Amino acid sequence: MVRVAAAQIEAGQDEAANLAACLRVIDAAAGQRAQLVVLPEFCNHLSWYASRAQAHERATRPGDAFLTAVGERARRHGIWIKINVTHAHPDGTTGGTNFLFDPAGAVAGTCDKQTLMGAENDFLEPGATVGPVLATPLGRIGMYACMEGVINEVARGLALRGAQVLLNSLNSFALDEADLHIPVRAAENKVWVVAANKVGPLLPREELPAIAARLGVPPEWLHGAGESQIVAPDGTVVAKAPRTGEAVVVADIDPALADDKRRPDGTDIFATRRPHLYGPIGEPPAGRRRPPGAPVLHTAVVRDPALLRDAVDKGARLVVMPQSAGDPAALAAALDGTDAHVVTTALEDGVPTGLLISRDGVVARQPRLHDRPGEPSAAGGSGAAGGIGAAGGIGAVGGPGVGIVPIDLEWGRLAIIAGEDALYPETFRLAALLDTDVVAVPYAAQEDWELALGLPERAAENRLNLVVATPIGQPAAIFAMTPDFTLWTKWEGPFTGRISTPVRTDIPAGEPIGAADVAPAQAANRLVSRNTDLVDGRPWRLVDALIR
């Protein structure tokens, strides 16, 4: 077992005070016998500068007092320390740089933040290389920072390259970091995550009221959200700090648990990936090419075929049913005289296949892309299973399991991600890159994190509306995009502290039917802050681990 710690501090514009806070929590973690301690992002200075030149001037440098003091503390206590600072590179650029100090006080590894958030683009340069996976006596360690954890690629790449423990330093006021973005990176990759966030103002105190007024956000919400935490490979938060105040939390972890990537049914979620299908994730961003969809779409989850017509008569234009929910001809008959569509799955030519059904019958098919133990290969089967035609008709787009080709409907663009395909972050990223607005997800969960964290994160990190239909006996849910999202424009509704968390409508396990509105048009708004696009801002040049 390894004892790890996550420490949260307030850091302002006084570098000496910031260093003192860092050393104070390092000492406190060592006093609790931690072997590794993680500190927040931008420990050295408030992330707010008058210019790029000032950011470079205030940044740390090799051998300076700040880094030397942290290294000396690592040596004094004989522990590993991970920090993130603004760092001046010899080429004149400034990075948001992670450092891992070893128990001798030496730098064991370093990397720059690859995806910058908002104003950070004005002061810093994004990392041009992937971060290392460091083999240490504590396990194999990877590092990332804040916005890199709001999307999946950086943490995913580290885990695919063998990391057992991921160290995340944050500088965030968003409450959905602690209850969504941090724990999902552990669960979806089956690794440990140790995450440290800031507390206190994240902007200059004297400017807080004016900035808050411009954003339409109460000033107190522009403080670091705290809740630094340690998360197990199943997504369980094993230790969490308070929402406010300097604090250190510790937990004993077993890094070797991260080597088991199996679900309860034996599916190895890494071995069953299909990297050759994920190539578009590594292509240069092209921007969204389609106009926004309809402002509102009424959707329903129906788990009893006898209730399908009832849902449609109440206004549902898209109904999602569990896998293998009924005879397609009977479902089409229930839609007679309407323009509604229903999604379910069927086994066709040995391939589990998502079906889009209208009153005229099956109008599109989506063969499943990923394998499940004991079932025929998703890449096998005959071409008769077809593919999804972009206009909604039955097409033969290369045979089964070759990719996602969404369907254009009157209200927007639909994709079907069924069964095991919904386990993989890459699948939803592909849907987003194809300008999908709504995803139908016929699904059967096996672990709690899949519905609690995984699917809401797929909606959040891609700006996708999701309609998730599970078998009766499991909870189902509908995830809708919010109109309030972009931080550099005025927030219209009451600010809740959550930035990208979708509006969630839960359907209890025993309920045969549930309904909610989603917002296809909002899928077109991917700018979480100025110059930070959730989809185009992915580190597309650095995703070889995902696509090779």
Side-chain angles (χ1 to χ4, degrees), residues 39-90:
L39 273 69
E41 185 181 31
F42 306 139
C43 288
N44 60 316
H45 194 277
L46 195 71
S47 180
W48 188 263
Y49 302 97
S51 65
R52 188 174 288 266
Q54 187 190 55
H56 191 73
E57 175 192 345
R58 299 284 176 87
T60 64
R61 285 162 173 77
D64 71 1
F66 197 100
L67 296 178
T68 298
V70 174
E72 191 282 329
R73 269 309 200 277
R75 183 198 60 76
R76 178 189 300 183
H77 294 303
I79 62 175
W80 298 78
I81 300 172
K82 191 262 189 178
I83 65 169
N84 177 282
V85 292
T86 54
H87 189 69
H89 295 304

Side-chain angles (χ1 to χ4, degrees), residues 364-433:
R365 291 176 164 87
Q366 173 68 65
R368 201 175 70 194
L369 305 180
H370 298 87
D371 294 338
R372 182 178 180 181
E375 287 188 356
S377 170
S382 77
I388 293 182
I394 299 174
V397 190
V402 299
I404 297 172
V405 185
I407 312 110
D408 289 332
L409 297 171
E410 213 173 66
W411 43 260
R413 182 166 274 189
L414 172 73
I416 301 171
I417 296 179
E420 275 52 45
D421 287 349
L423 279 173
Y424 303 88
E426 296 90 344
T427 319
F428 289 87
R429 189 59 111 194
L430 293 175
L433 289 170

Side-chain angles (χ1 to χ4, degrees), residues 47 136-137 150 257 269 359 363 444 487:
S47 180
T136 78
V150 176
L257 292 178
I269 63 171
R359 63 191 179 192
V363 294
L487 289 177

Side-chain angles (χ1 to χ4, degrees), residues 87-425:
H87 189 69
H89 295 304
D91 64 359
T93 62
T94 311
T97 307
N98 301 297
F99 285 94
L100 182 66
F101 292 88
D102 68 18
V107 175
T110 181
C111 59
D112 281 354
K113 184 178 181 180
Q114 298 170 29
T115 300
L116 301 176
M117 176 67 164
E120 293 169 16
N121 291 279
D122 297 333
F123 311 127
L124 307 177
E125 295 295 330
T129 59
V130 296
V133 174
L134 302 163
T136 78
L138 308 184
R140 299 184 300 274
I141 291 174
M143 301 182 286
Y144 63 104
C146 205
M147 183 61 205
E148 292 179 309
V150 176
I151 56 177
N152 73 81
E153 283 86 358
V154 175
R156 188 72 158 175
L158 289 166
L160 287 167
R161 289 189 286 123
Q164 298 166 309
V165 185
L166 301 183
L167 312 181
N168 181 11
S169 299
L170 298 101
N171 175 71
S172 178
F173 58 77
L175 295 183
D176 38 15
E177 295 280 11
D179 57 25
L180 182 58
H181 304 311
I182 292 171
V184 76
R185 303 303 165 216
E188 71 191 10
N189 296 303
K190 295 192 178 294
V191 296
W192 294 91
V193 170
V194 185
N197 197 7
K198 288 262 190 75
V199 292
L202 298 184
L203 301 167
R205 285 184 183 273
E206 64 276 11
E207 298 186 48
L208 263 184
I211 296 170
R214 288 201 303 272
L215 295 176
V217 171
E220 61 271 19
W221 283 110
L222 298 178
H223 287 220
E227 294 190 298
S228 302
Q229 58 191 263
I230 300 160
V231 191
D234 65 355
T236 301
V237 177
V238 297
K240 183 189 283 190
R243 168 77 176 77
T244 60
E246 186 172 291
V248 175
V249 292
V250 302
D252 295 321
I253 71 171
D254 180 0
L257 292 178
D259 293 332
D260 185 356
K261 305 299 184 184
R262 293 172 299 173
R263 294 174 91 205
D265 70 353
T267 303
D268 185 315
I269 63 171
F270 277 15
T272 51
R273 295 174 68 256
R274 299 188 68 200
H276 65 284
L277 298 185
Y278 310 149
I281 298 171
E283 294 175 0
R288 184 175 165 112
R289 287 150 289 190
R290 294 184 66 257
V296 178
L297 172 69
H298 191 57
T299 69
V301 170
V302 174
R303 301 194 271 203
D304 179 350
L307 298 176
L308 172 58
R309 184 63 190 222
D310 182 56
V312 172
D313 287 344
K314 290 179 178 176
R317 297 184 67 194
L318 175 66
V319 177
V320 184
M321 303 183 72
Q323 300 177 81
S324 304
D327 173 62
L331 298 178
L335 302 178
D336 186 48
T338 78
D339 64 354
H341 289 83
V342 62
V343 173
T344 184
T345 72
L347 196 65
E348 295 195 346
D349 293 334
V351 179
T353 301
L355 305 178
L356 180 69
I357 301 166
S358 76
R359 63 191 179 192
D360 298 319
V362 176
V363 294
R365 291 176 164 87
Q366 173 68 65
R368 201 175 70 194
L369 305 180
H370 298 87
D371 294 338
R372 182 178 180 181
E375 287 188 356
S377 170
S382 77
I388 293 182
I394 299 174
V397 190
V402 299
I404 297 172
V405 185
I407 312 110
D408 289 332
L409 297 171
E410 213 173 66
W411 43 260
R413 182 166 274 189
L414 172 73
I416 301 171
I417 296 179
E420 275 52 45
D421 287 349
L423 279 173
Y424 303 88

